[in-house]
């Protein structure tokens, strides 16, 4: 029997985390993501997990990485200024390959911006917010049900691949209430982290394995390894040897290329015969979906490509669905961020046009329809 | 609270090579640096307590002190600047079966990580924090720190330091740390005993080690060679050591050493686990 409940996006992220086996949450209050922390403070004790509200955003990210270093599935949630503060310790998790999930509920920026208003201005920060070249995965749910399922997928990817995963939602999705059937959304079998086993002699915590994912040495299991944010050898200890340093860094990015199929995820809406392709995510994609319906009712063949995995950007999937499109429209609640990636991939083949809005309001289907008519005229 | 007197100590002779990663030698510290003495005292305390190295987690930050974790044969985590207490908080809550010890420095824990230190003291999670105070940012070339003595020359106080110093132990006590102590590196046995008591303390324990930076700080201020600096630090100890009060909020010329604060407060990890057990109906 269906278990239909009304659920908010932020709360769905929390329940998804619990369903994924998350047993540690550290956070700091910030609008519009605080409901994630509140839900985790209620839910984690029920499963024997630990919730802690830390002294600041930096500490909460540090505690999450620390708990994950202890072998637990760990998560935090934040927004805007808090996401900026988390970048340092997020970078550590990228460099040391510590699994963790970060929910970032995007609000208007820069700085304090418009805390209660939606935006999609962190698209580039989610990819490049921490310094240096680094691997990272960013998922972008567009519904309450997806907040649940994509948070589960975030845990599966971070635990399996040892790459931090950001679940990037806008304020509208975070505060949206929809009816969902959680029973129907349960994962079949959870993907777990591979912990190191076997011989301790000569164990290398960052050994280059076939799948490029080194088994994780859990404290207490006898491996007594070293973890550092310094560029390190397979042994875990720092190096400045040019060839070895480069090899160590390249492995972490090659790892994502090797597992690209596992990471990529998109939704295609009527793209096969589309003369005009819309690329959008989050609440903008919901508006775009309605716009596609409205445009088709007017005889305009529009389609939607919605990346559920934003980074690494699913470039081959996008190219495969362009078909006969004459133009691409990228509506986003910023001054043009995702469009830069679409232009990089597609601008040589067809026009790529932006529809941008930074006034604290979501993009409406009517605005997209009007823009499409303008482009096609 | 566990009582130091009742815990049987490991009486086997201490060999430091049993606790360090010999393959990581030669170490990174400058000649005359006091940090190695502090490391020895820490490992000696670990040995006396009979702590299983597999269950020992060392979390360090950034700076000269931060590099010590790499030399210890344990589960070691060299984290970010100022944040080792945040990482250690997550690790200790996640894994109460581990002995989590933080190694930090004066810049790491009193400047960039000051917020984490005061809240770790307040929260009283079962952690041991050893702060190596050498009054300087050594790793970056000798800039002024929150504990640099008045009038001292550093690369960022070319006319002498005009800022007052932090008294780390007074700060930790005021913020609620249940165990606070201080020792100089010359008193290596005393430091070992202090570290042992700190590790045994059920709750957050903070130990300030007065260490010397001969190469960068001492040389710039004509403080002599390492033995001279260490002797000078010892001579600044208060004769009435091992008192239970701190009445010198901003340190003048005298240091109070030994156990400065020892109080019983509920340990945070147990308090949280008891609460969650009650919520799940498992009783206390």
């Amino acid at each position: 029997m269906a278990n239909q409940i009304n659920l908010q996006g932020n709360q769905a992220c929390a329940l998804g985390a619990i369903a994924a086996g998350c047993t540690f949450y550290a956070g700091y209050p910030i609008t519009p993501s605080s409901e994630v922390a509140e839900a985790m403070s209620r839910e984690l004790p029920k499963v024997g997990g630990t919730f802690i509200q830390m002294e600041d955003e930096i500490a909460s990210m540090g505690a999450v990485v620390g708990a994950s270093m202890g072998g637990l599935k760990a998560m935090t949630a934040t927004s805007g200024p808090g996401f900026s503060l988390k970048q340092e310790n997020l970078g550590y998790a990228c460099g040391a390959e510590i699994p963790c999930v970060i929910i970032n509920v995007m609000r208007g920026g820069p700085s304090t911006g418009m805390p209660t208003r939606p935006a999609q201005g962190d698209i580039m920060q989610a990819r490049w917010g921490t310094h240096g070249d680094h691997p990272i995965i960013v998922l972008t749910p567009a519904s309450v049900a997806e907040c649940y399922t994509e948070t589960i997928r975030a845990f599966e990817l971070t635990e399996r691949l040892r790459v931090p995963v950001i679940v990037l939602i806008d304020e509208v999705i975070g505060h949206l209430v929809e009816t969902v059937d959680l029973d129907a959304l349960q994962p079949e079998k959870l993907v777990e982290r591979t912990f190191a086993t076997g011989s301790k002699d000569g164990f290398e915590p960052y050994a280059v394995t076939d799948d490029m994912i080194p088994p994780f040495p859990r404290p207490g299991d006898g491996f007594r390894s070293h973890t550092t944010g310094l560029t390190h050898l397979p042994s875990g200890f720092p190096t400045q040897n040019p060839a070895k340093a480069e090899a160590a860094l390249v492995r972490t990015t090659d790892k994502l290329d090797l597992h690209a199929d596992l990471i990529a995820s998109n939704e295609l809406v009527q793209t096969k015969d589309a003369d005009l392709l819309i690329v959008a995510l989050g609440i903008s994609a919901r508006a775009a979906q309605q716009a596609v319906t409205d445009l088709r009712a007017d005889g305009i063949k529009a389609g939607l490509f919605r990346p559920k995995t934003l980074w690494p950007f699913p470039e081959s999937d996008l190219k495969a669905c362009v078909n006969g499109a004459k133009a691409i429209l990228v509506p986003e609640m910023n001054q043009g961020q995702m469009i830069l990636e679409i232009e990089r991939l597609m601008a040589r083949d067809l026009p790529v046009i932006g529809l941008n809005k930074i006034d604290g309001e979501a993009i409406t289907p009517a605005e997209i329809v009007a823009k499409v008519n303008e482009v096609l005229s | 609270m566990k009582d130091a007197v009742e815990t049987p100590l490991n009486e086997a002779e201490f060999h430091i090579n049993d606790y360090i990663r010999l393959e990581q030698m030669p170490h990174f510290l400058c000649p005359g640096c006091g940090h190695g003495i502090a490391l020895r005292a820490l490992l000696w305390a670990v040995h006396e307590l009979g702590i299983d190295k597999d269950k020992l987690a060392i979390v360090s930050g950034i700076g000269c002190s931060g590099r010590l974790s790499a030399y210890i044969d344990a589960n070691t985590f060299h984290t970010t600047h100022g944040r080792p207490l945040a990482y250690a908080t997550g690790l200790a809550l996640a894994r109460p079966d581990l002995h989590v010890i933080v190694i930090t420095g004066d810049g790491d824990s009193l400047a960039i990580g000051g917020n984490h230190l005061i809240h770790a003291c307040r929260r009283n999670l079962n952690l041991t924090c050893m702060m190596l105070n050498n009054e300087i940012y050594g790793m970056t070339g000798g800039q002024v720190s929150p504990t640099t003595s008045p009038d001292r020359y550093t690369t960022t106080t070319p006319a002498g330091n005009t800022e007052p110093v932090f008294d780390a132990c007074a700060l930790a006590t005021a913020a609620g740390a249940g165990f606070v102590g201080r020792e100089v590196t010359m008193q290596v046995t005393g430091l070992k005993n202090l570290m042992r008591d700190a590790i045994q303390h059920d709750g957050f324990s903070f130990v300030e080690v007065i260490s010397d930076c001969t190469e960068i700080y001492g040389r710039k201020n004509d403080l002599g060679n390492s033995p001279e600096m260490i002797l000078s630090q010892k001579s600044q100890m208060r004769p009435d050591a091992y008192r239970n009060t701190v009445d010198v909020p901003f340190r003048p010329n005298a240091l109070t050493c030994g156990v400065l604060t020892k109080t019983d407060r509920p340990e945070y990890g147990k308090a949280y686990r008891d609460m969650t057990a009650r919520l799940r109906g498992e009783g206390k």
Side-chain angles (χ1 to χ4, degrees), chain A residues 64-65 68 72 74 93 97-101 158-159 162-164 193 216:
Chain A
V64 161
V65 180
S68 182
L72 268 55
E97 298 177 79
I98 312 295
C100 54
V101 172
T158 198
E159 293 289 321
R162 294 186 61 179
V163 176
R193 194 182 314 185
F216 190 95

Side-chain angles (χ1 to χ4, degrees), chain A residues 47-358:
Chain A
V47 295
T50 302
F51 169 91
I52 185 166
Q53 183 173 314
M54 293 295 284
E55 56 271 17
D56 57 36
E57 296 277 2
I58 297 168
S60 60
M61 191 66 223
V64 161
V65 180
S68 182
M69 294 189 312
L72 268 55
K73 292 182 182 177
M75 182 176 92
T76 188
T78 190
S79 181
F83 192 50
S84 296
L85 285 165
K86 284 183 156 51
Q87 296 299 333
E88 176 200 29
N89 288 331
L90 174 57
Y92 182 90
C94 293
E97 298 177 79
I98 312 295
C100 54
V101 172
I102 300 99
I103 312 286
N104 178 25
V105 189
M106 289 183 282
R107 71 189 217 186
S111 190
T112 312
M114 290 187 275
T116 62
R117 309 303 306 179
Q120 295 176 325
D122 304 354
I123 284 173
M124 283 298 173
Q125 188 191 20
R127 177 63 194 89
W128 296 115
T130 196
H131 58 276
D133 291 290
H134 59 276
I136 202 154
I137 295 172
V138 181
L139 311 182
T140 55
S143 68
V144 172
E146 270 189 9
C147 284
Y148 188 82
T149 55
E150 289 297 282
T151 302
I152 295 172
R153 193 164 75 93
F155 271 100
E156 294 194 312
L157 290 172
T158 198
E159 293 289 321
R160 166 94 187 267
L161 300 173
R162 294 186 61 179
V163 176
V165 178
I166 292 161
V167 179
L168 189 66
I169 59 180
D170 48 70
E171 184 275 341
V172 181
I173 298 296
H175 283 158
L176 188 65
V177 175
E178 294 184 289
T179 305
V180 294
D181 175 5
L182 291 185
D183 289 348
L185 300 177
Q186 293 308 308
E188 287 174 19
K189 185 174 178 294
L190 289 172
V191 175
E192 305 289 345
R193 194 182 314 185
T194 303
F195 290 101
T197 55
S199 174
K200 276 85 177 167
D201 290 336
F203 172 77
E204 292 197 313
Y206 295 95
V208 182
T209 53
D210 287 345
D211 65 359
M212 294 195 190
I213 309 162
F216 190 95
R218 181 167 38 197
D221 289 355
F223 292 96
R224 301 203 300 270
S225 59
H226 186 59
T227 305
T228 179
L230 289 164
T231 302
H232 42 270
L233 297 164
S235 67
F237 294 100
T239 183
Q240 292 189 51
N241 174 304
K244 290 175 178 174
E246 181 160 333
L249 294 168
V250 166
R251 178 184 58 76
T252 63
T253 42
D254 281 355
K255 178 171 69 173
L256 289 200
D257 293 341
L258 183 66
H259 298 282
D261 290 347
L262 191 74
I263 301 165
S265 179
N266 321 288
E267 186 190 22
L268 308 181
V269 179
Q270 297 189 282
T271 56
K272 277 190 182 144
D273 63 344
D275 291 330
L276 184 128
L277 188 67
I278 304 170
V279 182
L281 52 78
I283 194 62
S284 303
R286 297 286 287 270
Q289 187 158 359
Q290 183 61 48
V292 166
T293 305
D294 296 348
L295 286 163
R296 292 226 167 218
D298 289 343
I300 297 169
K301 289 179 182 170
L304 169 66
F305 177 87
R306 178 169 73 88
K308 288 160 79 171
T309 301
L310 170 63
W311 303 114
F313 196 85
E315 73 181 69
S316 56
D317 294 343
L318 174 64
K319 285 179 173 170
C321 82
V322 169
N323 303 321
K326 296 175 183 65
I328 295 182
L329 177 68
V330 186
E332 50 184 335
M333 292 155 67
N334 55 50
Q335 288 186 303
Q337 296 192 16
M338 186 166 65
I339 195 172
L340 299 173
E341 184 70 359
I342 314 297
E343 283 174 344
R344 183 180 76 80
L345 296 170
M346 308 304 299
R348 260 182 283 177
D349 304 319
L350 71 175
V352 179
I353 299 139
L355 170 57
N356 306 101
K357 199 168 175 183
I358 55 165

